[in-house]
């Protein structure tokens, strides 16, 4: 993916600004982590650059060593930066990573019970879009890679079935689209029971489908590539359903909470599995710090490191004082949205990329929302309109996007809803006035009027009119981003 640089005047992204708000009580470490990420963002996410030594950072942020080290651990969990010791050490900016958010997304989807159909409907939306864009945008390098993939699959040299999807998304030249395709391909594999094995005829059928998709892309026929990608993904979804016909939800997530063999991460995984298998009893106290140390035969340092992993994934949190202990938490979509938006923004995404993807996603959301609209959905739309009308000007930067979140919720697909929330968060981040000065509000009256017109069409079940008005609305919003 393309490396991205930005002006040094760039503000701190909302994807980070909410980090301390997610904590139960703002912690100084979370605030410092926010500040560090804001400073890194202002420098254009300079991968590999040293932000400062521990001594430099202590002086710059005026905090204790304990607070700084806790802030650094938060940044390391978010895969933003890592502290390296010794000569040439310091806080290094690390490369964006799909792995760093796959875990968070997987835990959230596990908790809400997202079904395999929701994942594949989201993949269909994204990968059909990528297949349609690829013929017009692929480079010579992309062309060679696609041809090489077909040859490798034909001769049995390639065994990763995700590679075709990754290459097509890369050829679309939209880094946000590429990121989400990779993310959902990784999530989809979690629905397979254990390490998958495939019959020879399944492998051959998959390779034939890949070759047909590549043929359409190389021929410059985006519409045909889209249709063939749709057929291929529907066949893959059917295969997964048949592999586990009675389990359409994630049954287990053995490796997503901590990936290493460190003792703390082993304990975090064990606690996570116990929480999950007990039905995720939100609010239940698992034990005091002393009880947890005795139960798992570990030191206080190991337990606290394990707790940090669990808190990062919103599996459990430690509450101090009388009646405290490790408490089962409720994973929230806001934290996942922030983590994903943070990674996407680092990949060279422009407003054109953002709104190209938003247009594709929100058209599908409208289809789903109109199809499933009921009395509760109508009330939710009316409540969103009322919230906009009563919002203070300073609040409208957030409230003005709520209609899109409500529509995504009505659509009934938790994976697509998450995509919408990430794209909305990124739109807020890039909002600006025409002269480039970041604005706290968009043209509020105009937005409210357009939203009212969109809702009017939805309530009338007039999908084509709703789509027309949404397209015009997103085109207008694009002019207010930078």
């Amino acid at each position: 993916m393309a490396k991205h640089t930005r002006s040094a005047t760039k503000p701190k992204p909302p994807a980070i600004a909410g980090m301390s708000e997610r904590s139960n009580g703002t912690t100084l470490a979370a605030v410092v982590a926010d500040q560090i990420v804001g400073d890194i963002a202002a420098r254009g996410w300079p991968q590999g650059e040293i932000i400062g030594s521990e001594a430099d950072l202590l002086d710059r942020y005026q905090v204790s060593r304990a607070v700084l080290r806790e802030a650094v651990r938060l940044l390391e969990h978010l895969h933003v930066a890592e502290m390296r010791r010794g000569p040439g050490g310091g806080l290094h900016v690390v490369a964006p990573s799909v792995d760093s958010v796959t875990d968070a997304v997987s835990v959230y989807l596990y908790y809400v019970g997202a079904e395999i159909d929701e994942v594949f409907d989201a993949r269909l939306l994204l990968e059909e879009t990528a297949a349609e864009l690829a013929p017009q945008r692929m480079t010579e390098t992309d062309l060679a890679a696609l041809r090489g993939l077909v040859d490798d699959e034909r001769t049995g040299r390639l065994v990763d079935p995700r590679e075709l999807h990754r290459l097509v998304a890369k050829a679309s030249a939209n880094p946000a689209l590429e990121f989400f395709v990779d993310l959902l391909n990784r999530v989809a594999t979690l629905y397979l029971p254990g390490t998958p094995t495939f019959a020879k005829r399944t492998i051959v059928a998959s390779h034939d489908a890949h070759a047909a998709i590549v043929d359409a892309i190389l021929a410059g026929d985006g519409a045909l590539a889209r249709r063939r990608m749709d057929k291929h993904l529907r066949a893959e979804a059917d295969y997964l359903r048949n592999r586990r016909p009675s389990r359409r939800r994630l049954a287990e997530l053995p490796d997503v909470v901590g990936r290493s063999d460190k003792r703390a991460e082993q304990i975090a995984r064990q606690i996570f599995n116990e929480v999950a298998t007990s039905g995720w009893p939100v609010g239940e106290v698992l034990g005091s710090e002393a009880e947890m140390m005795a139960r798992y035969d570990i030191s206080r340092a190991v337990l606290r490191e394990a707790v940090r992993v669990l808190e990062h994934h919103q599996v459990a949190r430690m509450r101090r004082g009388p009646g405290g202990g490790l408490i089962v938490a409720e994973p929230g979509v806001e934290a996942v949205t922030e983590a994903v938006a943070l990674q996407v923004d680092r990949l060279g995404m422009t407003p054109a990329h953002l709104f190209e993807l938003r247009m594709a996603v929100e058209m599908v959301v409208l289809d789903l929302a109109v199809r499933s609209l009921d009395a509760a959905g109508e009330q939710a739309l009316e409540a969103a309109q009322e919230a906009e009308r009563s919002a203070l000007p300073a609040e409208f930067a957030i409230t003005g996007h709520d209609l899109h979140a409500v529509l995504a919720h009505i659509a009934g697909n938790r994976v697509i809803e998450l995509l919408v929330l990430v794209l909305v968060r990124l739109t807020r981040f890039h909002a600006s006035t025409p002269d480039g000065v970041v604005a706290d509000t968009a043209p509020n009256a105009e937005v409210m009027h357009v939203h009212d017109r969109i809702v009017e069409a939805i309530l009338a079940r007039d999908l084509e009119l709703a789509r027309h008005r949404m397209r015009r609305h997103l085109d207008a919003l694009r002019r207010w981003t930078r």
Side-chain angles (χ1 to χ4, degrees), residues 249-261:
R249 299 182 180 184
L250 289 172
E252 55 185 14
L253 293 175
D255 298 321
V256 301
V257 176
R259 293 176 178 270
S260 78
D261 290 328

Side-chain angles (χ1 to χ4, degrees), residues 5-24:
T5 57
R6 288 207 180 103
S7 165
T9 60
K10 181 182 172 183
K12 181 165 59 180
I16 299 305
M19 187 193 301
S20 57
E21 295 169 12
R22 295 203 310 270
S23 304
N24 290 278

Side-chain angles (χ1 to χ4, degrees), residues 236-470:
E236 185 178 336
D238 288 341
Y239 174 80
L240 284 181
R241 293 188 196 100
N242 292 333
R243 290 274 296 191
R244 183 185 279 169
S246 63
R247 294 208 168 189
R248 302 179 68 181
R249 299 182 180 184
L250 289 172
E252 55 185 14
L253 293 175
D255 298 321
V256 301
V257 176
R259 293 176 178 270
S260 78
D261 290 328
K262 289 175 59 177
R263 180 63 172 154
E265 294 199 6
Q266 291 176 343
I267 295 300
R269 281 197 294 272
Q270 186 173 343
I271 295 173
F272 166 75
N273 287 329
E274 291 169 3
V275 168
T277 56
S278 64
W280 213 297
V282 173
E284 182 175 302
V285 180
L286 300 176
S288 67
E289 187 173 71
E291 289 169 342
M292 300 297 286
M293 289 166 58
R295 183 181 308 164
Y296 298 104
D297 191 22
I298 53 176
S299 67
R300 178 172 281 105
V302 169
L303 176 63
R304 289 184 174 178
E305 179 65 21
V307 168
R308 277 189 286 270
V309 175
L310 294 168
E311 288 178 335
H312 169 64
H313 290 293
Q314 298 187 89
V315 174
R317 58 185 173 84
M318 186 63 78
R319 184 170 65 194
R320 310 296 176 185
L326 189 62
I327 300 172
V328 178
E330 180 178 10
V333 70
E334 295 85 2
V336 181
T337 300
E338 290 167 7
V340 178
L342 169 62
Q343 294 299 328
V344 173
D345 189 65
R346 301 170 63 186
L347 301 174
M349 184 199 67
T350 66
H353 296 138
L354 171 61
F355 278 91
E356 179 175 74
L357 188 51
R358 274 199 74 172
M359 191 73 74
V361 172
E362 299 220 32
M363 291 303 105
V364 170
V365 165
L366 277 178
D367 292 350
L368 295 172
V370 169
R371 190 185 311 160
S372 60
L373 188 64
D374 56 14
E378 292 176 355
Q379 291 173 2
L381 289 172
E382 291 166 359
Q385 289 177 286
E386 182 56 36
E388 285 186 6
R389 296 187 190 104
S390 60
L392 297 174
E395 299 171 338
F396 199 84
I398 296 176
T399 308
H401 292 284
D402 284 353
L403 175 66
H404 300 272
V406 170
L407 284 172
H409 183 71
I410 292 171
N413 181 312
R414 273 75 59 92
V415 182
I416 293 178
E417 182 179 3
L418 181 60
L419 292 178
V420 169
L421 293 175
V422 173
L423 295 173
V424 164
R425 183 65 60 92
L426 289 166
T427 303
R428 285 170 47 201
F429 173 26
H430 287 270
S432 67
T433 57
D435 62 1
V437 178
V438 174
D440 290 329
T441 62
N444 299 358
E446 179 183 340
V447 170
M448 282 190 286
H449 174 70
V450 174
H451 281 183
D452 285 345
R453 300 274 284 166
I454 292 170
V455 171
E456 177 186 86
I458 292 170
L459 294 178
R461 274 65 172 181
D462 191 336
L463 177 58
E464 292 307 316
L465 182 58
R467 288 168 65 92
H468 169 73
R469 290 173 176 174
M470 182 65 81

Side-chain angles (χ1 to χ4, degrees), residues 47 108 137 140 188 246 273:
Q47 180 182 330
Y108 174 72
R137 297 183 180 179
E140 289 285 338
S246 63
N273 287 329

